[in-house]
Amino acid sequence: IELGAKYEKNRFKADATVFYNIGRDIIDWVMPTGSDKSQSQNLTSLNTKGIEFSANYSPKSTFFQNLSFSYAFIDLDKEATDYDSRYALDYLRHKMTASLKHKVYKHIHATWQASYNDRNGTYTNLNKQMVDYKPFALLNLRLEAPSKQFTVYIDANNITDTKFVDFGGLTQPGFNLLAGFRFHLTKL
């Protein structure tokens, strides 16, 4: 069951959605406490409710090009009690993202993105202990130089070098740089 609304006026756009998902015969891979092997388990029912909201503004400015914000909240009616859920119960309870795109020089622009992530659930660490996921915040930057034929970009990810564990109990990389280019294909 989902209900949503959209609003658009001039350079501003916003949308909001609320939902309720009724799940039956949901199967998850779980690892019981003290075990080192996962097994499938039928959770029978798993009801999900949540909200999503996003807003986007593109000002008439030669410097600022775009400002956006999004937020999502999800809640399930079941918790993992004596096992480590591998999929169904390890979900992002809160995810908030804000981004700002601005001109740097001529055709070069920068996009800053800040996010806050709070994952529900637990994971099994290297010492075979069940550990709760900790919330984390990230700051990323993309410098981009587009042209008609291609776009060159440099990404600076996790600028604050935040140490965090995400889905599956996997430790994520700290600060890293990526560079690349995209070719723009035209119709033949």
Side-chain angles (χ1 to χ4, degrees):
I1 302 166
E2 182 175 309
L3 177 65
K6 291 185 178 187
Y7 176 81
E8 188 172 336
K9 185 168 184 179
N10 299 328
R11 300 175 165 274
F12 179 77
K13 296 178 185 176
D15 60 79
T17 304
V18 294
F19 60 89
Y20 186 76
N21 185 18
I22 302 164
R24 298 291 179 254
D25 298 322
I26 304 296
I27 297 174
D28 191 12
W29 280 93
V30 301
M31 184 181 296
T33 304
S35 175
D36 58 353
K37 290 190 177 186
S38 294
Q39 62 191 38
S40 63
Q41 181 173 334
N42 189 332
L43 301 177
T44 29
S45 68
L46 186 63
N47 300 321
T48 307
K49 60 184 173 223
I51 60 168
E52 295 175 338
F53 170 79
S54 67
N56 187 309
Y57 179 64
S58 300
K60 282 186 178 180
S61 167
T62 56
F63 181 72
F64 290 110
Q65 297 171 337
N66 189 276
L67 178 63
S68 66
F69 174 82
S70 65
Y71 174 73
F73 169 77
I74 298 175
D75 187 45
L76 274 61
D77 66 353
K78 195 173 291 260
E79 294 283 332
T81 52
D82 54 350
Y83 55 86
D84 180 7
S85 170
R86 296 295 186 193
Y87 300 104
L89 303 178
D90 287 355
Y91 58 93
L92 277 173
R93 181 181 299 272
H94 299 280
K95 179 166 178 80
M96 187 172 11
T97 305
S99 68
L100 169 68
K101 182 177 178 180
H102 63 86
K103 184 175 179 177
V104 176
Y105 178 75
K106 292 188 180 181
H107 297 292
I108 300 171
H109 57 261
T111 303
W112 296 88
Q113 183 183 65
S115 67
Y116 172 80
N117 305 271
D118 184 5
R119 183 171 294 285
N120 187 68
T122 59
Y123 65 95
T124 304
N125 68 11
L126 296 174
N127 298 326
K128 307 262 187 222
Q129 299 169 322
M130 298 274 283
V131 179
D132 289 337
Y133 285 103
K134 303 285 187 253
F136 59 91
L138 297 175
L139 179 62
N140 301 319
L141 168 65
R142 170 172 275 200
L143 293 172
E144 197 167 42
S147 72
K148 286 186 178 183
Q149 294 80 23
F150 61 91
T151 300
V152 177
Y153 62 88
I154 298 173
D155 290 338
N157 298 308
N158 195 358
I159 292 172
T160 57
D161 199 28
T162 301
K163 307 295 183 226
F164 68 101
V165 173
D166 203 8
F167 187 73
L170 299 173
T171 301
Q172 300 299 303
F175 172 75
N176 63 85
L177 286 172
L178 299 171
F181 59 91
R182 288 189 311 266
F183 286 104
H184 306 283
L185 301 176
T186 58
K187 293 181 182 181
L188 299 175

